[in-house]
PDB file of all heavy atoms in Angstrom:
ATOM      1  N   LEU A1489      70.828  94.666  -0.088  1.00 96.00           N
ATOM      2  CA  LEU A1489      72.281  94.436   0.186  1.00 96.00           C
ATOM      3  C   LEU A1489      72.746  93.180  -0.441  1.00 96.00           C
ATOM      4  O   LEU A1489      72.107  92.193  -0.360  1.00 96.00           O
ATOM      5  CB  LEU A1489      72.469  94.205   1.710  1.00 96.00           C
ATOM      6  CG  LEU A1489      72.179  95.459   2.618  1.00 96.00           C
ATOM      7  CD1 LEU A1489      72.480  95.117   4.095  1.00 96.00           C
ATOM      8  CD2 LEU A1489      72.838  96.619   2.215  1.00 96.00           C
ATOM      9  N   SER A1490      73.911  93.350  -1.184  1.00 92.00           N
ATOM     10  CA  SER A1490      74.378  92.082  -1.949  1.00 92.00           C
ATOM     11  C   SER A1490      75.816  91.875  -1.642  1.00 92.00           C
ATOM     12  O   SER A1490      76.370  92.495  -0.854  1.00 92.00           O
ATOM     13  CB  SER A1490      74.046  92.268  -3.455  1.00 92.00           C
ATOM     14  OG  SER A1490      74.582  93.546  -3.879  1.00 92.00           O
ATOM     15  N   ASP A1491      76.347  90.868  -2.357  1.00 89.00           N
ATOM     16  CA  ASP A1491      77.762  90.442  -2.207  1.00 89.00           C
ATOM     17  C   ASP A1491      77.957  90.117  -0.745  1.00 89.00           C
ATOM     18  O   ASP A1491      79.026  90.272  -0.108  1.00 89.00           O
ATOM     19  CB  ASP A1491      78.787  91.540  -2.400  1.00 89.00           C
ATOM     20  CG  ASP A1491      78.761  92.026  -3.820  1.00 89.00           C
ATOM     21  OD1 ASP A1491      78.566  91.181  -4.638  1.00 89.00           O
ATOM     22  OD2 ASP A1491      78.994  93.133  -4.153  1.00 89.00           O
ATOM     23  N   LEU A1492      76.972  89.248  -0.150  1.00 91.00           N
ATOM     24  CA  LEU A1492      77.047  88.749   1.189  1.00 91.00           C
ATOM     25  C   LEU A1492      77.537  87.313   1.179  1.00 91.00           C
ATOM     26  O   LEU A1492      77.570  86.644   0.228  1.00 91.00           O
ATOM     27  CB  LEU A1492      75.690  88.812   1.896  1.00 91.00           C
ATOM     28  CG  LEU A1492      75.075  90.239   1.828  1.00 91.00           C
ATOM     29  CD1 LEU A1492      73.612  90.113   2.366  1.00 91.00           C
ATOM     30  CD2 LEU A1492      75.896  91.234   2.569  1.00 91.00           C
ATOM     31  N   ALA A1493      77.999  86.899   2.316  1.00 88.00           N
ATOM     32  CA  ALA A1493      78.512  85.492   2.505  1.00 88.00           C
ATOM     33  C   ALA A1493      77.290  84.571   2.772  1.00 88.00           C
ATOM     34  O   ALA A1493      76.420  84.915   3.452  1.00 88.00           O
ATOM     35  CB  ALA A1493      79.449  85.328   3.595  1.00 88.00           C
ATOM     36  N   PRO A1494      77.328  83.416   2.123  1.00 88.00           N
ATOM     37  CA  PRO A1494      76.163  82.393   2.424  1.00 88.00           C
ATOM     38  C   PRO A1494      76.255  81.825   3.754  1.00 88.00           C
ATOM     39  O   PRO A1494      77.293  81.865   4.480  1.00 88.00           O
ATOM     40  CB  PRO A1494      76.472  81.175   1.399  1.00 88.00           C
ATOM     41  CG  PRO A1494      77.879  81.327   1.051  1.00 88.00           C
ATOM     42  CD  PRO A1494      78.343  82.752   1.286  1.00 88.00           C
ATOM     43  N   GLU A1495      75.031  81.363   4.359  1.00 88.00           N
ATOM     44  CA  GLU A1495      74.949  80.778   5.596  1.00 88.00           C
ATOM     45  C   GLU A1495      75.647  81.695   6.813  1.00 88.00           C
ATOM     46  O   GLU A1495      76.401  81.173   7.579  1.00 88.00           O
ATOM     47  CB  GLU A1495      75.485  79.369   5.648  1.00 88.00           C
ATOM     48  CG  GLU A1495      74.656  78.373   5.028  1.00 88.00           C
ATOM     49  CD  GLU A1495      75.149  76.960   5.236  1.00 88.00           C
ATOM     50  OE1 GLU A1495      75.987  76.482   4.548  1.00 88.00           O
ATOM     51  OE2 GLU A1495      74.609  76.343   6.217  1.00 88.00           O
ATOM     52  N   THR A1496      75.376  82.969   6.673  1.00 93.00           N
ATOM     53  CA  THR A1496      75.937  83.832   7.630  1.00 93.00           C
ATOM     54  C   THR A1496      74.845  84.754   8.247  1.00 93.00           C
ATOM     55  O   THR A1496      73.996  85.177   7.526  1.00 93.00           O
ATOM     56  CB  THR A1496      77.011  84.765   6.870  1.00 93.00           C
ATOM     57  OG1 THR A1496      78.022  83.952   6.292  1.00 93.00           O
ATOM     58  CG2 THR A1496      77.697  85.778   7.809  1.00 93.00           C
ATOM     59  N   THR A1497      74.966  85.006   9.589  1.00 96.00           N
ATOM     60  CA  THR A1497      74.060  85.867  10.151  1.00 96.00           C
ATOM     61  C   THR A1497      74.515  87.309  10.268  1.00 96.00           C
ATOM     62  O   THR A1497      75.743  87.525  10.772  1.00 96.00           O
ATOM     63  CB  THR A1497      73.764  85.384  11.623  1.00 96.00           C
ATOM     64  OG1 THR A1497      73.187  84.074  11.488  1.00 96.00           O
ATOM     65  CG2 THR A1497      72.745  86.342  12.310  1.00 96.00           C
ATOM     66  N   TYR A1498      73.901  88.178   9.723  1.00 97.00           N
ATOM     67  CA  TYR A1498      74.329  89.654   9.661  1.00 97.00           C
ATOM     68  C   TYR A1498      73.567  90.461  10.621  1.00 97.00           C
ATOM     69  O   TYR A1498      72.281  90.240  10.936  1.00 97.00           O
ATOM     70  CB  TYR A1498      74.035  90.283   8.288  1.00 97.00           C
ATOM     71  CG  TYR A1498      75.108  89.891   7.313  1.00 97.00           C
ATOM     72  CD1 TYR A1498      74.971  88.617   6.589  1.00 97.00           C
ATOM     73  CD2 TYR A1498      76.299  90.553   7.102  1.00 97.00           C
ATOM     74  CE1 TYR A1498      75.963  88.189   5.645  1.00 97.00           C
ATOM     75  CE2 TYR A1498      77.196  90.170   6.147  1.00 97.00           C
ATOM     76  CZ  TYR A1498      77.058  88.970   5.497  1.00 97.00           C
ATOM     77  OH  TYR A1498      78.036  88.584   4.553  1.00 97.00           O
ATOM     78  N   GLU A1499      74.279  91.269  11.439  1.00 97.00           N
ATOM     79  CA  GLU A1499      73.648  92.291  12.357  1.00 97.00           C
ATOM     80  C   GLU A1499      73.519  93.518  11.544  1.00 97.00           C
ATOM     81  O   GLU A1499      74.501  94.032  10.966  1.00 97.00           O
ATOM     82  CB  GLU A1499      74.585  92.504  13.549  1.00 97.00           C
ATOM     83  CG  GLU A1499      74.969  91.225  14.283  1.00 97.00           C
ATOM     84  CD  GLU A1499      73.888  90.788  15.268  1.00 97.00           C
ATOM     85  OE1 GLU A1499      72.952  91.521  15.494  1.00 97.00           O
ATOM     86  OE2 GLU A1499      74.026  89.601  15.828  1.00 97.00           O
ATOM     87  N   VAL A1500      72.329  94.033  11.463  1.00 97.00           N
ATOM     88  CA  VAL A1500      72.020  95.118  10.643  1.00 97.00           C
ATOM     89  C   VAL A1500      71.439  96.283  11.552  1.00 97.00           C
ATOM     90  O   VAL A1500      70.582  96.023  12.430  1.00 97.00           O
ATOM     91  CB  VAL A1500      70.956  94.803   9.580  1.00 97.00           C
ATOM     92  CG1 VAL A1500      70.720  96.095   8.639  1.00 97.00           C
ATOM     93  CG2 VAL A1500      71.387  93.604   8.748  1.00 97.00           C
ATOM     94  N   ALA A1501      71.946  97.483  11.449  1.00 97.00           N
ATOM     95  CA  ALA A1501      71.404  98.690  12.176  1.00 97.00           C
ATOM     96  C   ALA A1501      71.137  99.763  11.219  1.00 97.00           C
ATOM     97  O   ALA A1501      71.983 100.116  10.313  1.00 97.00           O
ATOM     98  CB  ALA A1501      72.491  99.097  13.219  1.00 97.00           C
ATOM     99  N   LEU A1502      69.934 100.334  11.338  1.00 97.00           N
ATOM    100  CA  LEU A1502      69.490 101.486  10.541  1.00 97.00           C
ATOM    101  C   LEU A1502      69.495 102.642  11.521  1.00 97.00           C
ATOM    102  O   LEU A1502      68.700 102.602  12.468  1.00 97.00           O
ATOM    103  CB  LEU A1502      68.203 101.212   9.902  1.00 97.00           C
ATOM    104  CG  LEU A1502      67.626 102.325   9.031  1.00 97.00           C
ATOM    105  CD1 LEU A1502      68.195 102.320   7.720  1.00 97.00           C
ATOM    106  CD2 LEU A1502      66.049 102.141   8.922  1.00 97.00           C
ATOM    107  N   ILE A1503      70.319 103.735  11.244  1.00 97.00           N
ATOM    108  CA  ILE A1503      70.331 104.867  12.118  1.00 97.00           C
ATOM    109  C   ILE A1503      69.824 106.034  11.320  1.00 97.00           C
ATOM    110  O   ILE A1503      70.416 106.552  10.348  1.00 97.00           O
ATOM    111  CB  ILE A1503      71.779 105.061  12.434  1.00 97.00           C
ATOM    112  CG1 ILE A1503      72.389 103.869  13.147  1.00 97.00           C
ATOM    113  CG2 ILE A1503      71.895 106.275  13.425  1.00 97.00           C
ATOM    114  CD1 ILE A1503      73.807 103.660  12.960  1.00 97.00           C
ATOM    115  N   PRO A1504      68.584 106.440  11.729  1.00 96.00           N
ATOM    116  CA  PRO A1504      67.986 107.621  11.069  1.00 96.00           C
ATOM    117  C   PRO A1504      68.751 108.903  11.450  1.00 96.00           C
ATOM    118  O   PRO A1504      68.838 109.199  12.761  1.00 96.00           O
ATOM    119  CB  PRO A1504      66.470 107.646  11.619  1.00 96.00           C
ATOM    120  CG  PRO A1504      66.274 106.318  12.213  1.00 96.00           C
ATOM    121  CD  PRO A1504      67.634 105.876  12.682  1.00 96.00           C
ATOM    122  N   GLU A1505      69.339 109.665  10.595  1.00 96.00           N
ATOM    123  CA  GLU A1505      70.139 110.874  10.907  1.00 96.00           C
ATOM    124  C   GLU A1505      69.199 112.019  10.527  1.00 96.00           C
ATOM    125  O   GLU A1505      69.231 112.595   9.481  1.00 96.00           O
ATOM    126  CB  GLU A1505      71.416 110.907  10.037  1.00 96.00           C
ATOM    127  CG  GLU A1505      72.291 109.697  10.159  1.00 96.00           C
ATOM    128  CD  GLU A1505      73.174 109.587  11.466  1.00 96.00           C
ATOM    129  OE1 GLU A1505      73.018 110.655  12.254  1.00 96.00           O
ATOM    130  OE2 GLU A1505      73.891 108.628  11.567  1.00 96.00           O
ATOM    131  N   SER A1506      68.333 112.425  11.510  1.00 94.00           N
ATOM    132  CA  SER A1506      67.356 113.397  11.314  1.00 94.00           C
ATOM    133  C   SER A1506      67.893 114.768  11.874  1.00 94.00           C
ATOM    134  O   SER A1506      68.458 114.849  12.842  1.00 94.00           O
ATOM    135  CB  SER A1506      66.095 113.048  11.986  1.00 94.00           C
ATOM    136  OG  SER A1506      65.177 114.164  11.998  1.00 94.00           O
ATOM    137  N   ASN A1507      67.484 115.859  11.132  1.00 89.00           N
ATOM    138  CA  ASN A1507      67.914 117.134  11.673  1.00 89.00           C
ATOM    139  C   ASN A1507      66.555 117.776  12.356  1.00 89.00           C
ATOM    140  O   ASN A1507      66.712 118.944  12.668  1.00 89.00           O
ATOM    141  CB  ASN A1507      68.339 118.066  10.469  1.00 89.00           C
ATOM    142  CG  ASN A1507      67.482 118.049   9.275  1.00 89.00           C
ATOM    143  OD1 ASN A1507      66.230 117.776   9.378  1.00 89.00           O
ATOM    144  ND2 ASN A1507      68.018 118.341   8.046  1.00 89.00           N
ATOM    145  N   VAL A1508      65.616 117.007  12.459  1.00 90.00           N
ATOM    146  CA  VAL A1508      64.393 117.440  13.154  1.00 90.00           C
ATOM    147  C   VAL A1508      64.140 116.776  14.497  1.00 90.00           C
ATOM    148  O   VAL A1508      63.987 117.427  15.474  1.00 90.00           O
ATOM    149  CB  VAL A1508      63.135 117.361  12.184  1.00 90.00           C
ATOM    150  CG1 VAL A1508      61.923 117.881  12.849  1.00 90.00           C
ATOM    151  CG2 VAL A1508      63.455 117.900  10.863  1.00 90.00           C
ATOM    152  N   HIS A1509      63.992 115.416  14.396  1.00 90.00           N
ATOM    153  CA  HIS A1509      63.710 114.643  15.616  1.00 90.00           C
ATOM    154  C   HIS A1509      64.903 113.538  15.860  1.00 90.00           C
ATOM    155  O   HIS A1509      65.614 113.290  14.974  1.00 90.00           O
ATOM    156  CB  HIS A1509      62.454 113.702  15.383  1.00 90.00           C
ATOM    157  CG  HIS A1509      61.246 114.492  15.138  1.00 90.00           C
ATOM    158  ND1 HIS A1509      60.643 115.236  16.177  1.00 90.00           N
ATOM    159  CD2 HIS A1509      60.554 114.793  14.074  1.00 90.00           C
ATOM    160  CE1 HIS A1509      59.614 115.807  15.636  1.00 90.00           C
ATOM    161  NE2 HIS A1509      59.540 115.605  14.419  1.00 90.00           N
ATOM    162  N   TYR A1510      64.926 113.060  17.109  1.00 93.00           N
ATOM    163  CA  TYR A1510      65.831 111.941  17.257  1.00 93.00           C
ATOM    164  C   TYR A1510      64.972 110.715  17.119  1.00 93.00           C
ATOM    165  O   TYR A1510      63.896 110.509  17.707  1.00 93.00           O
ATOM    166  CB  TYR A1510      66.343 111.972  18.781  1.00 93.00           C
ATOM    167  CG  TYR A1510      67.011 110.670  19.101  1.00 93.00           C
ATOM    168  CD1 TYR A1510      68.301 110.388  18.594  1.00 93.00           C
ATOM    169  CD2 TYR A1510      66.372 109.743  19.919  1.00 93.00           C
ATOM    170  CE1 TYR A1510      68.895 109.166  18.924  1.00 93.00           C
ATOM    171  CE2 TYR A1510      66.970 108.601  20.193  1.00 93.00           C
ATOM    172  CZ  TYR A1510      68.193 108.259  19.716  1.00 93.00           C
ATOM    173  OH  TYR A1510      68.885 107.076  19.961  1.00 93.00           O
ATOM    174  N   PHE A1511      65.512 109.760  16.304  1.00 93.00           N
ATOM    175  CA  PHE A1511      64.946 108.498  16.170  1.00 93.00           C
ATOM    176  C   PHE A1511      65.950 107.437  16.644  1.00 93.00           C
ATOM    177  O   PHE A1511      67.199 107.498  16.262  1.00 93.00           O
ATOM    178  CB  PHE A1511      64.577 108.184  14.700  1.00 93.00           C
ATOM    179  CG  PHE A1511      63.483 109.047  14.134  1.00 93.00           C
ATOM    180  CD1 PHE A1511      63.853 110.068  13.291  1.00 93.00           C
ATOM    181  CD2 PHE A1511      62.179 108.770  14.368  1.00 93.00           C
ATOM    182  CE1 PHE A1511      62.857 110.898  12.740  1.00 93.00           C
ATOM    183  CE2 PHE A1511      61.167 109.543  13.862  1.00 93.00           C
ATOM    184  CZ  PHE A1511      61.551 110.616  13.003  1.00 93.00           C
ATOM    185  N   PRO A1512      65.514 106.479  17.419  1.00 95.00           N
ATOM    186  CA  PRO A1512      66.502 105.492  17.871  1.00 95.00           C
ATOM    187  C   PRO A1512      66.819 104.620  16.666  1.00 95.00           C
ATOM    188  O   PRO A1512      66.106 104.376  15.828  1.00 95.00           O
ATOM    189  CB  PRO A1512      65.705 104.732  18.926  1.00 95.00           C
ATOM    190  CG  PRO A1512      64.304 104.995  18.712  1.00 95.00           C
ATOM    191  CD  PRO A1512      64.190 106.284  18.062  1.00 95.00           C
ATOM    192  N   PRO A1513      68.029 104.072  16.694  1.00 96.00           N
ATOM    193  CA  PRO A1513      68.460 103.155  15.690  1.00 96.00           C
ATOM    194  C   PRO A1513      67.522 101.921  15.664  1.00 96.00           C
ATOM    195  O   PRO A1513      67.033 101.568  16.682  1.00 96.00           O
ATOM    196  CB  PRO A1513      69.885 102.722  15.969  1.00 96.00           C
ATOM    197  CG  PRO A1513      70.408 103.801  16.952  1.00 96.00           C
ATOM    198  CD  PRO A1513      69.097 104.295  17.679  1.00 96.00           C
TER     199      PRO A1513
END
């Protein structure tokens, strides 16, 4: 991930969009 602001805390969530199983974010 680029073009971010300096000295900033980012909250990041990865959400697996599976058509087989449910994976929690």
Side-chain angles (χ1 to χ4, degrees):
L1489 297 183
S1490 54
D1491 294 329
L1492 306 175
E1495 283 190 276
T1496 302
T1497 299
Y1498 283 85
E1499 304 280 349
V1500 183
L1502 180 78
I1503 302 148
E1505 308 279 1
S1506 166
N1507 50 26
V1508 183
H1509 297 287
Y1510 168 75
F1511 293 103

